[in-house]
Amino acid sequence: MEVIKITNLTKKFGNFKALNEINLSVNQGEIYGFIGPNGAGKSTTIRIILGLLKASGGDVKVFGLDAFRDVKEIHKRLAYVPAEAKLWDNLTGGEVIDILLKMNNVTDYSLKDKLIKDFDLDPSKKCRTYSKGNRQKVLLIAALAADRDLYILDEPTSGLDPLMEKVFQEYILELKQRGKTVFLSSHILSEVEKVCDKIAIIKDGKIVDSGSLNKMRHLTKSKILIKTRDNINLNLEGVSNVEKENNLISFFVEHNQLSTVLSHLGNYTLDHFEANPPTLEDLFLRHYKQEGGKDD
């Protein structure tokens, strides 16, 4: 079942085209990563999905409903964490969480209490005393404590330390186990790589790549590191960036030539062999590095 379906989405602000015919589909039970640097169009896309902005062209459906026209019905089934945490400064964190949960008709607070403990938040402090990370915790707790079908998270771990990022990732994976759908916008590539089933890379308002992470990794190269005293010939198809230092040799291999290269290495005596598969960062930089993309 498609929870989010975007077809040829375009958004203009005057003469500036912020989004240019975006297409993506998010299925039930998926954690979908939406990545790109600041200014690429991530938050604009999310605001249109939420019905906060009207598209200039194209079609956006959430639960099969029109994102702008049926916003009231859609919002009953989703939770949202914005990129910037704006809270009521004179209220405590606990009071803000309770208000947000009441607005979402949440009556069971048992999960809220566990989230407060796991995210190490002091709910008795006024919001004006909170750091950026603690402000973000308030919104995360309010969203995760609500039992919803769809969670839309825009840069949700901004300001969190690595330990709290790990707690967040554990809760996101738990949502998936419960059959929930998560749409995660982020520029933290390691975070996306750890939790997402599929990703879409947005650049200058356009989707430049999308699909399952494993399938997209095939578009990049694996790095091989070997140690040998043999004189190895690496003048092979698909091999590049060969660097030699004494007995240590490093090089990159295209995915479709990996088996051939490994078979070739079997003809030599290796003292050390190490293969590093391509990462999401490799894939991301493939589209941004030296291609005129905006630097984050």
Side-chain angles (χ1 to χ4, degrees), residues 43-285:
S43 292
T44 300
T45 303
I46 285 178
R47 291 187 184 110
I48 293 174
I49 293 172
L50 291 167
L52 304 178
L53 284 177
K54 189 173 184 180
S56 302
D59 187 48
V60 180
K61 294 284 177 54
V62 183
F63 305 120
L65 303 172
D66 184 270
F68 191 77
R69 190 171 54 244
D70 302 315
V71 62
K72 186 176 179 180
E73 289 301 313
I74 291 171
H75 277 227
K76 292 177 181 178
R77 299 178 60 185
L78 67 78
Y80 167 55
V81 174
E84 295 184 10
K86 295 181 180 180
L87 309 175
W88 295 280
D89 284 346
N90 290 326
L91 297 181
T92 67
E95 288 171 338
V96 171
I97 293 171
D98 289 344
I99 288 172
L100 294 175
L101 290 179
K102 287 178 181 178
M103 290 172 64
N104 283 300
N105 297 317
V106 176
T107 56
D108 184 357
Y109 284 6
S110 58
L111 181 54
K112 180 202 75 170
D113 296 335
K114 184 177 185 301
L115 283 160
I116 288 174
K117 180 180 178 181
D118 289 347
F119 276 102
D120 193 24
L121 177 74
D122 184 348
S124 65
K125 289 185 176 181
K126 298 284 188 180
C127 289
R128 64 171 175 266
T129 68
Y130 280 153
S131 64
K132 177 177 174 59
N134 280 329
R135 286 172 171 263
Q136 200 67 20
K137 290 177 186 179
V138 170
L139 296 183
L140 277 171
I141 290 168
L144 295 173
D147 185 15
R148 293 294 182 263
D149 297 316
L150 171 63
Y151 295 80
I152 297 179
L153 312 175
D154 190 1
E155 303 286 355
T157 59
S158 177
L160 298 188
D161 61 44
L163 180 60
M164 293 298 102
E165 286 182 14
K166 188 174 186 298
V167 172
F168 166 78
Q169 292 163 12
E170 290 171 352
Y171 271 100
I172 293 303
L173 292 173
E174 184 180 323
L175 289 176
K176 179 186 175 181
Q177 292 177 353
R178 291 161 49 200
K180 307 297 184 179
T181 305
V182 179
F183 188 76
L184 172 63
S185 169
S186 179
H187 65 266
I188 303 175
L189 302 184
S190 59
E191 176 177 83
V192 174
E193 191 165 27
K194 288 175 182 176
V195 300
C196 291
D197 304 300
K198 295 180 181 178
I199 62 170
I201 299 175
I202 185 169
K203 175 186 177 184
D204 298 335
K206 295 182 179 180
I207 301 293
V208 294
D209 222 335
S210 64
S212 70
L213 188 54
N214 286 335
K215 187 176 293 184
M216 292 172 70
R217 276 177 173 148
H218 294 180
L219 302 174
T220 59
K221 302 175 182 179
S222 294
K223 184 176 182 180
I224 306 296
L225 183 68
I226 61 174
K227 189 174 184 179
T228 180
R229 285 161 287 183
D230 294 345
N231 185 20
I232 291 184
N233 174 24
L234 289 173
N235 187 20
L236 304 170
E237 184 180 355
V239 174
S240 61
N241 300 93
V242 179
E243 295 183 2
K244 297 182 180 181
E245 185 177 347
N246 297 324
N247 296 330
L248 199 62
I249 305 172
S250 67
F251 54 93
F252 287 88
V253 182
E254 294 179 6
H255 175 78
N256 58 359
Q257 296 296 324
L258 192 55
S259 295
T260 301
V261 172
L262 291 178
S263 178
H264 176 73
L265 291 177
N267 298 318
Y268 301 91
T269 301
L270 303 182
D271 298 320
H272 176 81
F273 174 85
E274 183 178 327
N276 296 303
T279 65
L280 178 56
E281 184 176 9
D282 298 326
L283 181 62
F284 185 81
L285 291 177

